[in-house]
Amino acid sequence: MSATPRRLAAAWKTVPRTYRGWAVGPARLADAPRIAALEREVFPEPMSLRQVLAALLQPDTCYLVVRDGRTIAAYFGFTACGPYAHVLANVTHPAYRRRGLARFVLTAAEPLARALGCRAFLGEVRVSNHAQQQVLEQIGWRTLAVLPRCFANGEDARIVFRPL
Ligand SMILES: CC(C)(COP(=O)(O)OP(=O)(O)OC[C@H]1O[C@@H](n2cnc3c(N)ncnc32)[C@H](O)[C@@H]1OP(=O)(O)O)[C@@H](O)C(=O)NCCC(=O)NCCS
């Protein structure tokens, strides 16, 4: 095993195995249809099943998943791009919201991003997405700028940043 996969495997050992009794771990290829279904349910511009599968196969991409049996309660995916861990998405299943899951997945993944050599998380949040902005504010993310018309429907994005 080369250095980065070894560091990532070591970082997974530091991630809590459970949250509120639900299982925490890396996404498997078999999770792709459920991740893609959640994407379709909550995002105006969801990743397709093919895109989710391609992401899961990338060695520089990491998905942390919280499972309640066969249900994915929450997930967070990001891709390492040099010093940045670019956020793909974090979603909490509608039936599992307001139990701290978003706060948990975003913070629990920090050692994984560091293990991939990243120095910061970087993401885009719709200006209308107040729930996500609240979560991020609580866990030390900052807004760097507002990017006009970042999304396909013309909505502006807050460019959000969390040093690692
Ligand atoms: C945004 C989202 C991820 C939040 O998930 P969550 O697991 O419910 O969030 P948490 O329970 O960790 O919330 C932590 C805190 O953030 C704030 N918060 C979360 N959702 C909120 C909402 N809808 N309205 C107001 N504040 C909210 C609260 O202060 C909450 O703490 P509290 O419940 O003790 O008051 C979830 O609503 C979601 O999946 N939305 C659709 C997908 C999305 O927008 N993803 C982010 C963009 S990639």
Side-chain angles (χ1 to χ4, degrees), residues 16-35:
R17 296 274 173 88
T18 59
Y19 176 78
R20 291 183 172 229
W22 301 313
V24 177
R28 311 174 192 124
L29 280 181
D31 293 324
R34 273 170 280 171
I35 291 174

Side-chain angles (χ1 to χ4, degrees), residues 90-92 97-103 129 131-132 135 138:
N90 69 283
V91 173
T92 300
R97 290 193 180 157
R98 304 302 291 264
R99 302 192 219 182
L101 272 163
R103 257 191 324 238
N129 193 344
Q132 178 76 350
V135 172
Q138 289 174 19

Side-chain angles (χ1 to χ4, degrees), residues 94-114:
Y96 292 82
R97 290 193 180 157
R98 304 302 291 264
R99 302 192 219 182
L101 272 163
R103 257 191 324 238
F104 171 76
V105 293
L106 288 160
T107 51
E110 289 180 359
L112 306 174
R114 275 191 223 104

